[in-house]
Structure formats: C-alpha cells, structure tokens
Amino acid sequence: MNMIPFLTFSFFLLNFFSLSSSLISISVIPKTLSKSGDFVTIQWSGIQSPSKLDWLGIYSSPSSNHDNFIGYIFLSSTPEWESGSGSISIPLVNLRSGYQFRIFRWTESEVVPELVDHDHNPLPQTKHLLAESEEIGFEPGRGPEQIHLALTGREDEMRVMFVTPDGKESYVRYGLTRNGLGRVVKTRVVRYEREDMCDAPANSSIGWRDPGYIHDGIMLNLKKVKKYYYQAGSDSGGWSSIFSFVSHNGDSGETFAFLFGDMGTATPYLTFLRTQEESTSTIKWISRDIEALGNKPALISHIGDISYARGYSWLWDHFFSQIEPVASIVPYHVCIGNHEYDWPLQPWKPDWSSYGTDGGGECGVPYSYKFHMPGNSSEPTGMRAPATQNLYYSFDSGRVHFVYMSTETNFLPGSNQYAFLKHDLESVDRVKTPFVVFQGHRPMYTTSSGKKDVPLRKRMIEYLEPLLVKNNVNLVLWGHVHRYERFCPLSNFTCGSLVLNGEERKAFPVQVVIGMAGQDWQPIWAPREDHPSDPIYPQPLQSQYRGSEFGYMRLHATKEKLTLSYVGNHDGEVHDMVEILASGQVVSDSIHDGPAAAEQMESNFSWYVKIGSVVMLGAFMGYIVGFMSHARKNVADKGWRPIKTEEI
C-alpha cells in the first residue's frame, strides 16, 4: 500500500484543525459568579465552515479530561451559528470548583451509533478541539448553598441542612425578626468519598465530582406557629441569605402539604442522562401555593426518585439548587426510590424482585447523607458504602400522621421495617391525628402496562395491605409510575366504602399514584388481555381517575375531613379531587359528583391560592423563565416519552 497519499491527507487535516483553532476566539463573562443560578455568557468567533455538530463542552473542574464533560450544547442551537460566531447565556450551579468551556469540531462521519446518551442521542466526540476558554469560578466567602429544612419529629424543632466547600465550622442563627437572629446552633459535618460509591458511573471519573461538606443543624425551642428568620454559615466562610419558615404546631387544627414523586431536575444543557425540564414547573406552582398560605405551616413530600442523578453527581447539585426556593421555607421530606438505591450489589435481592441497576452505582449514599429524616432507620449495604438511611419513619403534622416506607429494602414479615410499620400504625392517636397518610415509592396498585413489578406488588398486597386496612389508613400514595391515577377505596382489588349504593361496607384506604412531577419517560396503560397489541386501554372499575399531565398533589386536612387535589402543571388548576372524612368515608369526588362538588371542596384552599397568585414570587419566576429559556434541548422531544422497556 502506498502510504504517501494517506500521510499527506493526515498532515492536511492536522494543519487544517491547527490553523482553524488559531483563528477561533472564545470568551466568557463574567469571570466570577456569586451564587448558583447566576448567568454566564459564552461568546465565540472565527469558526470556519461551521458544522451542525460543532459543540460547546462544559467542564467542572477545568482540569477534566476532554471526555469528562458535565454537559454540552450544540452551537447550531444559536441563531448566528452559520456565520462561525455566536453567543449563549446559561445559569451555572456552584460545584465547588471552577468551570471551563471548550469548542469541538464533530462531523457526521465521526458519529458512533453505539455510543449514545440515555435519550438515545449519539454522544459528541472530542477528537478535534477548536478552542478553550479561560477558567471562571464562584466568589469565595459567599456562604453555604443547597439549604433545605426538615422536621425532626419534635414540634419545637426544625432541621436545616446545607453544603460548604471546605467543611469549616458553621452555624445556624435564627430568631423571630429579620434583625434579631440572636439564637445560634452549631452544625455537625459529614461527607462521603468516591470510594463509598459501589460502582460506575458514580465512582468513575465521568460521574464523580466532589460533593462538598454537608452540614446539619437543629433550631431548638421554637414557639408554635411563629414565623422564624434564619441564615446559615460563618464569619469566615460567609453567611447565606436570610430565609424564613413558619414553625409547626402539633395541636393545629389543620394540615397543609404538597406531595409528588419522581420529579428530578432540569439542566440548561444536554448531558449523559435525560433530565426533567417539567420539574421547574412543579416547583413554580408549589412556590405559588406556599406564598398563598402566608403564615401557615406546610410541608413537602417527595416519595422517591429524587434527583435522577443516577451516578452523575452534579445533578444532585442542580436538584438542590432548584428546590432551595421552597425547601428553605418549608420542610422537605423524602423516601427512597429505585433511582437512589438499586444496584445488583445491594444485599436484599429476592429472586422475585425487579431490583436492577437503576441507582447508577450510588447505592443510596448521596441520598443517605444529603437528607436527614426523623427516626433512625438504616440497613447495611454489605460493602464499603455506609448503611443506607432515611428508609422508614413517621411524624405528626397537625391533623395527619404521615408514614414513609422503603419499597427497595426488605418489608416482609420478620424484617425491621415490617416491625416498625406494624407498631407505628397500631400506635397512632386517632383523636390527635384522625388521618393517616401512608407513602412509598413503588405502587401497590397501578393499571400501567409494566409487568416487572407484578411479583413485588403481589407481596405488598399480601403482607402490607392488611396492615393498612386493619389500622384504618385513610390515604396511600405511591410514585414510580410517571402518571397520575386515583383508585377507589381498595382492599385486595375490591372497592369499598362506608356507603356504597346504600349498603354499609368497610372503609378501605384510597390509593393514589402520584409519580407525575417531572420524569417524562411514560408507561402506557395496560391493554386488553385478549388483544394485547391493539392500542386500546380500558380503565378498570377500580381506577376512578387517570391522568397523563405533569403536576403534584395539594393536601388540606382538618379534624373532620381531608381533601386531596391534583394540580396540573400546564395551568396550575385542579383537575381531580377527593374528599375523605375522618371515619374513612369517601363522601364526594370530582369524578362522581361533578364540577360543582369539586368547586365546593376546593374552596377551603383556593382563596389562599388566589391571593398568592397576585404576588407570584417575582424573583423566583425570573429565575425560572431565564433558566428555561436557555434550557432548550433541540435534539430532544418536548412531549411525553413512552418508555422503550418495562423499566420505569
């Protein structure tokens, strides 16, 4: 073979890219940011013969290898790209390290069909670097970030957690006025290491980033139903902004909560995983509702599949930055899902289970460290990874006793979890808390088409449902299936109510699937068994409402009744509602009693919302609008995505 033409062509390519690179300029302003969510503008010029696949790589830390980007944006997403010049502005999250931006040439002939992201788009290649920017970073001494609250189980306390880059001694100072933060508590500090993760990508050079130091403090001796102001940090490391919350009251006559599952987070760039753009709308509407409540305590409940980081650690940072506007003012409670925990190396894997690789090698470590829920539940991992925390717990809030379980760890009779759930449900003071709301991730009931969890659901119905029925649990909430579905009061697939067609019957729990807060990989409903290939999905009698719209639940309980409303993200309005009396009787709902009943039921809450809608959190809305305007993913569909396998 004559090598001369080949070598000549290779030399030409080398000279071409070298010459092109020397003509390209790239700049970033500003050079220093103050906090997460601040925007940078990247400008470039001098790209000759632009390709639609030329792309901008986003790197943190700046010393990362070319393949270890955290995200990318195609230059062709900007209007001026064909001129070889352009600019783009995006918000950045503080990853406790600097950022750098690099431009690469990528052509269609270099696409590797087998090398794709989670959304089945080819991952860009880094063979031809055209330009790289100087480093930019966040200003030190600006205080901690990722601030979020949680209840401790004691009504005169509130937990606050946050992240710092160095773990130096930090505090929470608080008081009843903005200028009177005279009470101070010291925080304890924890962190996890790369070696604590159980597998890739979580412990790989692509997925791992330093998580910083996680601080945990408890504000003590709080008066009931008072507005408290607080800030976190230190004189040396800086102090956060001043936030406020309303303390809880165990004797309160009402309860307000916002509940959902499977929300995830959004990024202003493409990355290795599909992210959840709709999550920003969920936070936007909940912010409106919290603002509307004024000085009334409330809480948020996120029942599994929290950030969808799945081993790409910076997505946890995006998640906590995104929820801070709400999690810093009301307690944010969670339970574990498959995308936080599941991995083949985990110790509990019965042969009937569908536990797989959904956790991305995290094995519950970030989840266990970044949250601190009431109680002390934990399960060993059998590896270097520390024991998994925040698995099952309960607390009272006003007129409701909230119970959380883990569907990812052993819940069968004989397990620690089963013993806890049995004892807890049998010990509820129904005079103080006439309503019991039970929550977990994988649903006991669903009419979606997925079959992998059928053996698990069978055991949940066999072993857990009798506990729920025997102890008169009023409401059971699940995630995992990324749709909304409300069932009739159920026991072993049989509908029941205190009054049904004039007959006295047993009160059963109302089961609702609420995994519609952000994740858009959707299962379809189950087809007819005798015509499985036809696109006809009958709705069984037990399923009283099914919805495919993103949204969340709004709960309001008094001593007499609990009202649960399904709020849609596209308009912020209520699309389904059910009302349960303390006796367990389902007396009305928006399906069977019509719009008039739904309107009357909603009146207990809607006046708060109407007032708050006038205010609408201008600063937060500015952040969301700016964030979303720069988060356009041209290669991704904007609609709901059907799943391609049974995995949810």
Side-chain angles (χ1 to χ4, degrees):
M1 174 181 177
N2 187 350
M3 296 293 293
I4 294 177
F6 174 77
L7 292 174
T8 301
F9 180 70
S10 299
F11 181 74
F12 168 77
L13 283 179
L14 180 62
N15 281 329
F16 173 79
F17 285 114
S18 298
L19 180 61
S20 298
S21 299
S22 66
L23 299 176
I24 297 172
S25 66
I26 180 172
S27 63
V28 185
I29 51 173
K31 300 294 187 298
T32 304
L33 305 176
S34 62
K35 64 183 184 305
S36 290
D38 285 355
F39 280 75
V40 296
T41 298
I42 305 103
Q43 297 177 309
W44 63 89
S45 63
I47 297 179
Q48 299 183 12
S49 303
S51 164
K52 284 186 177 181
L53 297 182
D54 292 342
W55 60 282
L56 176 75
I58 303 163
Y59 292 84
S60 183
S61 72
S63 62
S64 300
N65 293 335
H66 286 337
D67 291 336
N68 295 346
F69 48 82
I70 66 169
Y72 58 96
I73 300 171
F74 289 105
L75 304 189
S76 56
S77 65
T78 65
E80 314 93 347
W81 74 274
E82 290 182 293
S83 69
S85 302
S87 67
I88 190 166
S89 296
I90 59 172
L92 295 182
V93 166
N94 188 349
L95 301 181
R96 300 156 300 282
S97 179
Y99 277 82
Q100 188 185 50
F101 303 90
R102 305 172 194 171
I103 294 177
F104 294 90
R105 167 61 49 88
W106 187 37
T107 63
E108 292 185 9
S109 63
E110 296 173 312
V111 172
V112 181
E114 298 80 18
L115 190 63
V116 297
D117 64 14
H118 179 253
D119 210 21
H120 306 287
N121 299 308
L123 281 169
Q125 301 301 294
T126 60
K127 185 177 180 181
H128 308 301
L129 174 67
L130 298 185
E132 56 186 3
S133 74
E134 57 186 317
E135 299 180 12
I136 69 165
F138 284 81
E139 181 181 349
R142 301 289 295 191
E145 296 200 353
Q146 304 184 24
I147 294 172
H148 55 286
L149 301 175
L151 300 174
T152 68
R154 296 177 60 92
E155 63 181 54
D156 64 343
E157 296 179 348
M158 184 69 76
R159 184 182 305 279
V160 57
M161 301 184 73
F162 53 87
V163 172
T164 66
D166 52 21
K168 292 181 179 179
E169 196 168 276
S170 295
Y171 304 87
V172 180
R173 54 191 186 190
Y174 60 103
L176 289 170
T177 64
R178 179 177 288 272
N179 296 321
L181 308 182
R183 302 167 69 179
V184 180
V185 293
K186 185 178 177 180
T187 61
R188 71 181 186 96
V189 186
V190 297
R191 70 174 270 122
Y192 55 89
E193 305 294 342
R194 180 171 176 170
E195 294 76 18
D196 293 328
M197 304 296 200
C198 64
D199 217 326
N203 63 6
S204 70
S205 57
I206 291 180
W208 171 260
R209 296 296 186 278
D210 189 303
Y213 293 80
I214 301 160
H215 295 253
D216 185 345
I218 298 177
M219 293 178 276
L220 305 168
N221 301 317
L222 304 177
K223 297 179 180 180
K224 296 180 180 181
V225 197
K226 294 291 184 180
K227 188 171 188 176
Y228 279 87
Y229 296 86
Y230 75 98
Q231 64 179 168
S234 66
D235 291 339
S236 61
W239 291 91
S240 71
S241 300
I242 296 177
F243 301 96
S244 66
F245 67 92
V246 180
S247 58
H248 279 232
N249 178 9
D251 302 321
S252 173
E254 57 184 349
T255 302
F256 293 97
F258 307 97
L259 313 99
F260 52 84
D262 305 73
M263 184 174 72
T265 189
T267 59
Y269 49 73
L270 293 165
T271 187
F272 297 94
L273 300 175
R274 183 176 177 84
T275 56
Q276 296 74 45
E277 290 188 23
E278 191 65 27
S279 62
T280 59
S281 293
T282 301
I283 294 298
K284 177 189 72 173
W285 292 118
I286 291 176
S287 294
R288 172 203 63 177
D289 289 353
I290 294 173
E291 180 81 3
L293 285 176
N295 292 329
K296 291 180 177 289
L299 64 93
I300 290 174
S301 184
H302 186 164
I303 54 174
D305 287 2
I306 308 299
S307 70
Y308 284 99
R310 291 164 285 180
Y312 296 93
S313 64
W314 61 89
L315 295 179
W316 278 110
D317 294 285
H318 274 274
F319 170 80
F320 279 104
S321 178
Q322 183 172 311
I323 69 167
E324 188 181 77
V326 295
S328 60
I329 57 178
V330 299
Y332 197 102
H333 283 260
V334 294
C335 68
I336 200 164
N338 54 303
H339 286 296
E340 286 76 58
Y341 183 79
D342 289 8
W343 201 254
L345 298 177
Q346 294 286 34
W348 194 60
K349 41 183 180 292
D351 55 9
W352 47 262
S353 72
S354 59
Y355 305 132
T357 60
D358 299 342
E362 291 184 355
C363 294
V365 174
Y367 169 84
S368 297
Y369 277 80
K370 291 175 178 291
F371 296 102
H372 190 165
M373 298 294 103
N376 57 1
S377 64
S378 68
E379 291 290 343
T381 61
M383 301 168 285
R384 166 174 168 151
T388 308
Q389 312 287 331
N390 308 317
L391 295 173
Y392 44 90
Y393 62 96
S394 68
F395 60 85
D396 295 338
S397 179
R399 293 301 181 180
V400 178
H401 181 70
F402 290 95
V403 186
Y404 294 78
M405 75 160 291
S406 164
T407 59
E408 310 310 299
T409 56
N410 193 352
F411 57 81
L412 302 180
S415 67
N416 292 335
Q417 177 169 205
Y418 183 88
F420 168 83
L421 295 174
K422 182 175 185 298
H423 179 267
D424 185 84
L425 292 173
E426 291 174 350
S427 305
V428 178
D429 182 352
R430 299 306 284 260
V431 175
K432 179 183 178 183
T433 54
F435 296 99
V436 176
V437 176
F438 187 93
Q439 299 166 89
H441 183 59
R442 298 181 194 242
M444 185 179 294
Y445 291 98
T446 176
T447 63
S448 70
S449 61
K451 302 295 184 184
K452 289 175 65 175
D453 280 345
V454 169
L456 180 140
R457 293 200 292 269
K458 179 180 178 181
R459 285 158 178 83
M460 292 172 71
I461 291 171
E462 180 179 359
Y463 298 116
L464 294 181
E465 187 174 57
L467 293 180
L468 307 180
V469 173
K470 178 183 176 181
N471 293 288
N472 299 312
V473 171
N474 305 95
L475 181 64
V476 182
L477 303 175
W478 311 104
H480 195 56
V481 175
H482 308 141
R483 292 177 184 260
Y484 172 76
E485 184 169 25
R486 176 173 59 81
F487 291 88
C488 65
L490 270 179
S491 178
N492 196 24
F493 296 95
T494 301
C495 290
S497 177
L498 284 181
V499 179
L500 184 66
N501 298 328
E503 300 178 12
E504 294 291 325
R505 299 184 62 179
K506 174 70 176 176
F508 296 147
V510 174
Q511 303 236 3
V512 189
V513 178
I514 59 171
M516 68 296 183
Q519 177 60 280
D520 58 1
W521 286 81
Q522 295 301 304
I524 57 175
W525 304 116
R528 296 172 296 174
E529 291 186 1
D530 55 346
H531 295 83
S533 60
D534 293 343
I536 298 174
Y537 312 107
Q539 186 167 353
L541 174 66
Q542 298 93 333
S543 176
Q544 295 192 331
Y545 191 100
R546 300 196 301 196
S548 297
E549 183 181 353
F550 296 107
Y552 61 95
M553 307 306 296
R554 181 195 294 157
L555 181 150
H556 176 225
T558 65
K559 185 177 181 179
E560 293 78 23
K561 65 182 177 181
L562 181 152
T563 303
L564 186 73
S565 307
Y566 166 36
V567 181
N569 276 359
H570 83 279
D571 60 2
E573 299 294 332
V574 173
H575 293 268
D576 182 44
M577 188 180 300
V578 63
E579 187 176 66
I580 307 170
L581 297 186
S583 63
Q585 183 180 1
V586 180
V587 295
S588 61
D589 63 66
S590 59
I591 300 303
H592 299 137
D593 296 310
E599 183 176 351
Q600 177 63 34
M601 290 159 57
E602 176 67 356
S603 64
N604 291 322
F605 195 99
S606 62
W607 71 276
Y608 293 120
V609 176
K610 290 175 182 176
I611 294 172
S613 295
V614 177
V615 181
M616 276 309 290
L617 293 175
F620 177 80
M621 286 296 295
Y623 171 79
I624 290 295
V625 171
F627 187 96
M628 293 302 295
S629 68
H630 294 281
R632 299 281 66 87
K633 296 175 168 56
N634 293 338
V635 299
D637 295 336
K638 296 294 183 265
W640 296 68
R641 296 285 299 237
I643 59 171
K644 293 180 171 60
T645 70
E646 290 183 352
E647 180 181 338
I648 295 178

